[in-house]
Amino acid sequence: MQKTNDREIAKEIVQTVFVSFYNYRDSLQEIGSLRAYLYTMVKNKILDHFRSRQVQEQFKLQVSHSPAHINTNDVDTYIDTRELEKKLHEEVLRLPPQCRTVFRLRREEELSNREIAIRMNISENTVEQHMRKALRSLRNALHVAHRSFFSFLIF
């Protein structure tokens, strides 16, 4: 609670760590110090929490400074967002299987590289390489989709 200054957030982080620990208990046989491992997991979850909160705060600030004439609930914006999400999902499915698994564990389950490495029985360096490959591939695919999707604005 000292790090979060919020008892509920601290409880949630500890609960998340123990659930994650329990879910991957079979692949955690190589841990030298359980206390150090749990401490690291908690520390990473706290850092994830603060990163997430920082992104939320930046978004709120950006929205509050956006011009009043922009309607963020605009139907076109909603449709564009859904199409972009669909394209992202399709591109994730096109990733090689192990690369896709690493990407999903990192982005959807918010696991650290170390946790992913332990779970998949691969090195942390391999996890990093898969993430770089996935992000590069998705960035390129979405950049191409973005250009073709909004090309009508140029003409």
Side-chain angles (χ1 to χ4, degrees):
M1 190 173 110
Q2 291 174 339
K3 302 290 183 190
T4 62
N5 293 326
D6 186 326
R7 182 176 293 283
E8 291 305 313
I9 291 171
K11 284 181 182 179
E12 185 176 321
I13 288 172
V14 169
Q15 182 178 11
T16 302
V17 166
F18 279 110
V19 167
S20 179
F21 182 78
Y22 179 79
N23 287 339
Y24 307 118
R25 67 191 176 280
D26 295 335
S27 62
L28 302 174
Q29 297 170 0
E30 300 172 5
I31 296 175
S33 169
L34 179 61
R35 181 181 177 146
Y37 185 78
L38 289 173
Y39 176 82
T40 302
M41 286 180 72
V42 169
K43 180 185 79 169
N44 288 336
K45 292 297 180 185
I46 289 170
L47 291 173
D48 290 344
H49 167 75
F50 282 117
R51 281 188 209 109
S52 175
R53 201 162 82 181
Q54 184 179 17
V55 168
Q56 290 171 0
E57 291 300 320
Q58 288 174 347
F59 179 74
K60 287 178 187 175
L61 184 64
Q62 186 178 17
V63 169
S64 70
H65 286 96
S66 65
H69 68 275
I70 295 177
N71 182 1
T72 56
N73 294 324
D74 190 26
V75 174
D76 291 335
T77 303
Y78 177 78
I79 292 170
D80 292 346
T81 302
R82 292 290 158 227
E83 289 180 14
L84 209 51
E85 286 175 350
K86 180 181 176 189
K87 178 68 176 167
L88 176 63
H89 180 71
E90 290 170 358
E91 292 303 323
V92 168
L93 291 176
R94 287 192 179 115
L95 293 171
Q98 196 168 24
C99 187
R100 180 175 54 237
T101 301
V102 167
F103 179 80
R104 285 188 167 158
L105 290 173
R106 183 78 176 130
R107 297 299 176 165
E108 294 172 8
E109 294 188 31
E110 299 179 357
L111 297 178
S112 69
N113 287 352
R114 178 165 170 73
E115 291 169 325
I116 295 169
I118 291 169
R119 183 180 208 190
M120 295 181 67
N121 199 24
I122 57 178
S123 73
E124 285 185 61
N125 187 38
T126 303
V127 171
E128 291 171 13
Q129 289 174 2
H130 281 304
M131 276 304 294
R132 274 196 293 274
K133 180 178 182 178
L135 292 173
R136 187 178 331 115
S137 175
L138 295 173
R139 193 177 305 118
N140 290 338
L142 293 178
H143 179 71
V144 169
H146 178 74
R147 275 192 295 150
S148 65
F149 187 70
F150 294 106
S151 64
F152 66 89
L153 294 175
I154 299 171
F155 299 112

